[in-house]
Amino acid sequence: MANPYFEKIFSVPIHSCIVGNLDKVTQEIDQSIDSIKFSMIENWGSTHYLSDVNFEEDAIKKYNLNNLWNEINLNLHTYCNEINFTPTDYYIKSWFSLFKKNNYAHVHDHSGSDISGVFYYKTNGNDGDLVFYNNNPWFKMSRCYVNYDQSWTHKPVVGKLLLFPSWLQHGVKTNETDDTRISFSFNINFT
């Protein structure tokens, strides 16, 4: 066999970057963060705190986070180019998530949206890794693929922005530190 190679198909596109205007983005959030009232969703248990427990608001508009919006928009267009999709009009729902000691996020997806994302505002890097789960249930059906990763762990980094398909299941490991972690999450829906 001449020139064999290995192809991976049906890969999951995840966009990862440190935002370019980090100082301005951080200053904007700094000005708003103390005014945000965080609450938990009662029937979720002691998972984590949210700025909008109904997921109906757009925290970007509510707190005038224009620099963050510019970074998300810029990276959204880059991501769409990477996946060969021409963006149309879209709307965004966004919120802050706060993780104190022993808080976590259960495994979930954001089905009903097109692209989801997270921006890390405050983290020590050890206060709860983001874990993406393999959505292909057939990998575990065969003995020869059991060594393929069923999950991928991402350490949070201040200033990092991730974009990913909304159907991708993910969760956040328990914050076992005494520090509070704050991230900004969002869903994008194309019209």
Side-chain angles (χ1 to χ4, degrees):
M1 185 182 331
N3 301 321
Y5 61 95
F6 187 79
E7 284 188 287
K8 288 187 176 183
I9 61 173
F10 307 124
S11 61
V12 178
I14 297 177
H15 177 87
S16 173
C17 71
I18 299 294
V19 298
N21 232 347
L22 184 55
D23 288 342
K24 289 184 178 179
V25 170
T26 302
Q27 288 172 357
E28 238 173 22
I29 296 173
D30 287 345
Q31 293 172 359
S32 302
I33 203 71
D34 290 336
S35 67
I36 298 173
K37 183 179 185 230
F38 287 94
S39 304
M40 285 190 177
I41 297 177
E42 284 186 35
N43 62 355
W44 284 7
S46 298
T47 57
H48 60 288
Y49 299 84
L50 299 163
S51 64
D52 176 16
V53 296
N54 298 312
F55 303 104
E56 294 175 351
E57 297 178 346
D58 177 6
I60 291 172
K61 287 181 183 171
K62 184 174 183 176
Y63 301 108
N64 297 313
L65 304 175
N66 297 321
N67 288 301
L68 179 57
W69 169 242
N70 290 339
E71 291 294 328
I72 290 171
N73 193 43
L74 172 72
N75 284 281
L76 175 64
H77 281 81
T78 300
Y79 179 76
C80 287
N81 187 50
E82 291 168 352
I83 62 172
N84 297 316
F85 175 71
T86 303
T88 56
D89 288 337
Y90 56 92
Y91 63 92
I92 187 169
K93 298 286 184 178
S94 59
W95 62 95
F96 284 94
S97 298
L98 185 143
F99 295 79
K100 295 181 181 180
K101 187 172 187 171
N102 297 320
N103 288 161
Y104 64 96
H106 62 277
V107 177
H108 64 285
D109 60 48
H110 297 236
S111 58
S113 296
D114 295 308
I115 296 173
S116 294
V118 63
F119 169 77
Y120 295 103
Y121 165 67
K122 181 182 176 188
T123 177
N124 65 19
N126 296 308
D127 45 17
D129 293 346
L130 175 65
V131 182
F132 290 110
Y133 294 91
N134 187 342
N135 279 31
N136 184 341
W138 308 113
F139 268 103
K140 49 190 165 190
M141 300 293 282
S142 171
R143 286 188 188 105
C144 61
Y145 298 108
V146 296
N147 293 322
Y148 267 73
D149 287 337
Q150 294 301 309
S151 65
W152 180 75
T153 300
H154 172 76
K155 284 216 165 285
V157 175
V158 170
K160 183 167 269 193
L161 175 72
L162 295 174
L163 298 170
F164 52 91
S166 296
W167 48 258
L168 183 60
Q169 292 205 332
H170 57 285
V172 177
K173 290 186 176 182
T174 301
N175 179 0
E176 296 177 350
T177 73
D178 292 324
D179 296 328
T180 297
R181 184 185 112 173
I182 302 174
S183 56
F184 181 85
S185 300
F186 56 92
N187 290 327
I188 291 170
N189 291 284
F190 294 99
T191 56

